[in-house]
């Protein structure tokens, strides 16, 4: 007989602007278990959790707590029903001490109305002792380490009577020692009968902690099983899919509709990284990118792809290793990178790319303005000519150059951002998941453009949340895992199966 569920979500549906984010997803949680929820960016994990915790309402399906149907109108109702969440961004008041944070909004009071600090201290000590947490209760939370803040947040959540604890990437900013401590506390939470939904990209933690695993991909549940019966390759394949392309002979098919050129021999190295690192996301990454090459960076979410690009671009300063651009030391800042012919398209176009209230023209021409400005005046005719030329080259669909960029589709916004980069006449182009969240037609357009640019001699460093795109487009692929270079594949070695095996391998020698 199946154990009773603390929570059961059945056939959950959710759409945003007509796009289906969740498609009939089932998920349940039992008392005293840790149920890992896995999936790549855009798989639907965050949407499902926001529905469970009341931040979103589902468009279809049902939620039951303890066998009773519920419908939350907001997070406060979910919290009152016993669902607590520990977010990646810790929600504590940094200027208040740990004692005040543990009791915030529910401070015990004496009969005459004053806060009973002695009782607060007694209750806090008992609470923290239950989970093996040692904290200086009188220190401001902002002075404590991230791991201690996480532990305070967990203790606070459970003190509110939570029977369900959602932990969203709780170890992403912790050291190995801090991770060990947090996982030990999570074990204690399970032993107390609390059900834990554990979201992580670190598969080692899944096999160390989880009783069950559910994997989402493209808004659907593709796997739900006992963790003991799974291995790393099975999870990686579930998260990445079976692949739309296979061996080298099939690499032409998917993204570029057969137009992808054959793998080419790269020109002279133009960008290198040797043992490049910055804790906690990049440990030791190495790569070589030659002229006319498309080098794919493959790895699961959290493998360090974006962080490595930021180090190379100079947006973050490495603390280990070195990198070079055209034979000289790599740039120390983005402005220097642009001047030296290195352009970077960030992963999040809305947060780090577009200026939503400006026009297409203004967004596209940002990097041109210094060249078009004389004595404080912009040559508007030259600016418009350049904008029209690049819009035509990339096939940007907009009513006019003066249309606000926020009114364009995601695919057209992405084309505008790539056009902006090309305005700077780069020699090296770094594209962080450029086809994420756009329609199939725009994907094909951008994929063809990437191939054309490489054919013209540009060096391209490419990441993607879709392994099929990496397989289809790349001349060489560097595989990252936990911020380290795991393997490098080239030419006929590049296939979905080989990359999935390399990503899943426990040992770099196994992955090569």
């Amino acid at each position: 007989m199946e154990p009773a569920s603390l929570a059961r979500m059945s056939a959950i549906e959710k759409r945003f602007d007509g796009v289906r984010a969740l498609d009939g997803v089932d998920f349940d949680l039992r008392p005293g278990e840790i149920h890992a929820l896995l999936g790549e960016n855009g798989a639907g994990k965050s949407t499902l959790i926001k529905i469970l915790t009341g931040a979103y309402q589902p468009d279809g399906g049902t939620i039951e707590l303890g066998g009773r149907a519920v419908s939350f109108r907001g997070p406060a109702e979910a919290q009152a029903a016993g669902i607590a969440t520990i977010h990646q961004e810790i929600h504590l008041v940094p200027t208040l001490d740990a004692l005040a944070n543990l009791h915030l909004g529910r401070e015990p009071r004496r009969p005459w109305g004053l806060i009973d600090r002695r009782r607060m201290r007694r209750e806090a000590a008992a609470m923290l002792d239950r989970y093996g947490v040692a904290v200086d209760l009188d220190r401001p939370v902002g002075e404590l380490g991230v791991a201690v803040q996480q532990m305070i947040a967990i203790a606070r959540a459970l003190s509110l009577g939570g029977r369900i604890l959602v932990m969203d990437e709780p170890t992403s900013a912790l050291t190995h020692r801090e991770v060990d401590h947090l996982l030990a506390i999570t074990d204690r939470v399970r032993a107390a009968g609390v059900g834990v939904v554990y979201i992580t990209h670190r598969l080692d933690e899944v096999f160390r902690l989880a009783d069950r695993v559910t994997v989402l991909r493209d808004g659907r549940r593709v796997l739900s099983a006992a963790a003991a019966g799974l291995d790393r390759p099975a999870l990686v394949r579930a998260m990445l899919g079976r692949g739309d392309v296979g061996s080298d002979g099939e690499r032409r098919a998917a993204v570029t509709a057969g137009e992808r050129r054959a793998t080419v021999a790269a020109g002279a190295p133009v960008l290198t990284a040797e043992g490049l690192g910055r804790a906690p996301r990049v440990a030791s990454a190495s790569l070589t990118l030659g002229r006319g090459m498309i080098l794919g960076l493959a790895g699961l979410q959290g493998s360090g792809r974006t962080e490595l690009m930021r180090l190379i671009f100079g947006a973050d300063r490495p603390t280990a290793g070195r990198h070079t651009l055209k034979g000289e030391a790599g740039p120390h800042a983005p402005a220097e990178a642009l001047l030296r012919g290195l352009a970077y398209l960030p992963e999040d176009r809305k947060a780090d790319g577009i200026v939503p209230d400006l026009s297409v023209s203004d967004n596209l021409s940002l990097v041109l303005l210094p060249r078009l400005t004389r004595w404080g005046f912009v040559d508007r005719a030259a600016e418009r000519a350049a904008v029209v030329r690049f819009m035509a080259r990339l096939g940007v669909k907009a009513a006019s150059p003066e249309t606000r960029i926020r009114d364009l589709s995601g695919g057209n916004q992405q084309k505008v951002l790539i056009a902006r980069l090309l305005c700077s006449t780069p020699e090296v182009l770094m594209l962080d998941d450029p086809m994420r969240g756009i329609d199939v037609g725009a994907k094909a357009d951008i994929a063809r453009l990437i191939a054309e640019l490489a054919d013209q001699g540009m060096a391209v460093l490419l990441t993607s949340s879709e392994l099929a795109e990496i397989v289809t487009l790349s001349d060489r692929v560097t595989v990252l895992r936990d911020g380290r270079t795991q393997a490098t594949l080239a030419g006929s070695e590049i296939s979905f199966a080989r990359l999935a095996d390399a990503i899943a391998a426990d040992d770099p020698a196994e992955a090569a």
Side-chain angles (χ1 to χ4, degrees):
M1 184 176 176
E2 185 175 297
S5 295
L6 279 175
R8 182 178 296 278
M9 307 177 77
S10 303
I12 300 297
E13 304 269 349
K14 186 64 181 178
R15 295 174 183 81
F16 296 100
D17 298 325
V19 176
R20 184 168 291 185
L22 293 175
D23 186 3
V25 172
D26 296 334
F27 182 82
D28 72 294
L29 180 67
R30 299 165 188 165
E33 81 160 348
I34 297 174
H35 193 155
L37 181 61
L38 307 180
E40 287 288 84
N41 278 336
K45 306 186 302 294
S46 295
T47 302
L48 185 69
I49 291 307
K50 286 179 179 178
I51 289 173
L52 176 63
T53 57
Y56 292 160
Q57 283 71 51
D59 295 324
T62 60
I63 304 174
E64 296 178 358
L65 293 186
R68 297 180 60 185
V70 295
S71 178
F72 301 130
R73 290 173 294 182
E77 290 188 2
Q79 189 178 74
I83 301 174
T85 306
I86 306 300
H87 296 279
Q88 190 172 352
E89 298 80 19
I90 303 167
H91 294 167
L92 297 173
V93 182
T95 55
L96 295 181
D97 61 29
L99 184 64
N101 270 280
L102 282 166
H103 290 85
L104 195 63
R106 54 189 185 86
E107 298 86 352
R109 296 185 180 273
R110 298 179 184 276
W112 48 91
L114 294 177
I115 293 175
D116 189 344
R117 294 270 300 183
R118 183 175 299 175
R119 180 180 163 191
M120 284 172 62
R121 190 174 298 277
R122 191 168 59 245
E123 291 177 355
M127 183 194 319
L128 295 172
D129 184 62
R130 189 181 314 146
Y131 299 109
V133 179
V135 176
D136 182 349
L137 292 172
D138 298 310
R139 282 187 68 185
V141 159
E143 296 179 6
L144 301 174
V146 176
V148 177
Q149 292 184 35
Q150 285 279 25
M151 294 164 194
I152 291 171
I154 291 171
R156 172 178 161 75
L158 296 176
S159 72
L160 295 171
R163 298 180 62 223
I164 295 171
L165 182 64
V166 179
M167 301 180 73
D168 187 0
E169 299 281 3
T171 63
S172 60
L174 305 186
T175 66
H176 288 298
R177 187 173 179 179
E178 290 170 336
V179 168
D180 288 341
H181 195 181
L182 186 64
L183 297 188
I185 288 171
T186 308
D187 260 332
R188 290 196 180 202
V189 169
R190 166 173 48 193
V194 175
V196 180
V197 181
Y198 194 87
I199 302 169
T200 184
H201 59 263
R202 295 177 171 174
L203 299 189
D204 291 339
E205 295 174 12
V206 173
F207 290 111
R208 180 171 168 181
L209 274 181
D211 300 294
R212 284 192 294 157
V213 178
T214 289
V215 178
L216 301 185
R217 189 175 72 247
D218 299 329
R220 298 182 178 91
R221 187 180 78 167
V222 296
L223 174 70
S224 192
L230 297 170
D231 58 20
R232 186 183 294 272
L235 284 183
V236 169
R237 284 185 169 83
M239 293 164 70
L240 297 177
R242 57 181 176 80
D244 296 317
V245 291
S247 64
D248 190 55
E250 298 170 286
R251 290 170 63 216
R252 305 170 184 274
V255 180
T256 56
E259 297 301 319
R260 172 73 172 102
R261 75 206 191 297
T263 299
V264 298
V270 65
L271 178 69
T272 68
E274 298 175 18
L276 204 62
R278 179 186 173 93
R281 290 297 183 90
V282 184
S284 178
S286 301
L287 57 81
T288 300
L289 175 63
R291 295 189 186 279
M293 174 197 286
I294 299 174
L295 175 62
L297 275 183
L300 297 178
Q301 178 186 354
S303 61
R305 299 173 314 198
T306 294
E307 292 79 7
L308 177 57
M309 282 191 161
R310 287 179 57 86
L311 291 177
I312 291 170
F313 191 58
D316 295 321
R317 188 66 61 88
T319 55
R322 63 190 294 269
H323 65 300
T324 66
L325 177 62
K326 295 185 286 186
E328 299 180 359
H332 294 91
E336 179 191 346
L338 286 168
L339 287 173
R340 294 176 58 187
L342 174 61
Y344 171 47
L345 180 76
E347 180 182 33
D348 191 337
R349 65 175 170 270
K350 291 186 176 176
D352 303 319
I354 66 170
V355 184
D357 290 322
L358 295 185
S359 67
V360 171
S361 178
D362 289 338
N363 272 273
L364 198 157
S365 65
L366 281 175
V367 300
L368 284 174
L369 293 181
R371 282 185 273 165
L372 298 177
T373 303
R374 294 289 183 275
W375 309 110
F377 294 95
V378 176
D379 185 339
R380 294 298 180 187
E383 178 190 17
R384 183 172 180 84
V387 167
V388 170
R389 182 171 72 254
F390 277 102
M391 286 180 68
R393 181 181 177 187
L394 274 81
V396 176
K397 295 177 182 176
S400 81
E402 305 313 314
T403 302
R404 286 191 311 175
I405 196 169
R406 73 186 314 159
D407 296 329
L408 270 57
S409 67
N412 282 295
Q413 289 178 5
Q414 200 75 308
K415 289 178 183 180
V416 171
L417 294 181
I418 295 173
R420 179 202 293 170
L421 298 185
L422 297 181
C423 285
S424 67
T425 60
E427 296 176 62
V428 182
L429 191 59
M430 299 198 304
L431 303 173
D432 194 354
D433 215 351
M435 292 174 274
R436 178 185 171 198
I438 62 177
D439 64 79
V440 174
K443 282 187 178 186
D445 289 343
I446 291 173
R448 277 191 291 269
L449 175 67
I450 292 169
E452 288 170 8
L453 292 170
D455 284 339
Q456 294 161 13
M458 189 175 293
V460 180
L461 184 60
L462 173 72
T463 78
S464 175
S465 52
E466 296 287 342
L467 202 56
E469 294 169 2
I470 294 292
V471 172
T472 303
L473 284 168
S474 302
D475 300 305
R476 183 184 296 168
V477 180
T478 292
V479 177
L480 296 180
R481 176 174 157 195
D482 297 331
R484 297 180 183 275
T485 297
Q486 183 87 340
T488 298
L489 306 178
S492 60
E493 298 173 329
I494 300 171
S495 69
F496 180 88
R498 287 290 301 273
L499 286 176
D501 286 345
I503 291 168
D506 287 322
D507 187 333
E510 228 182 287

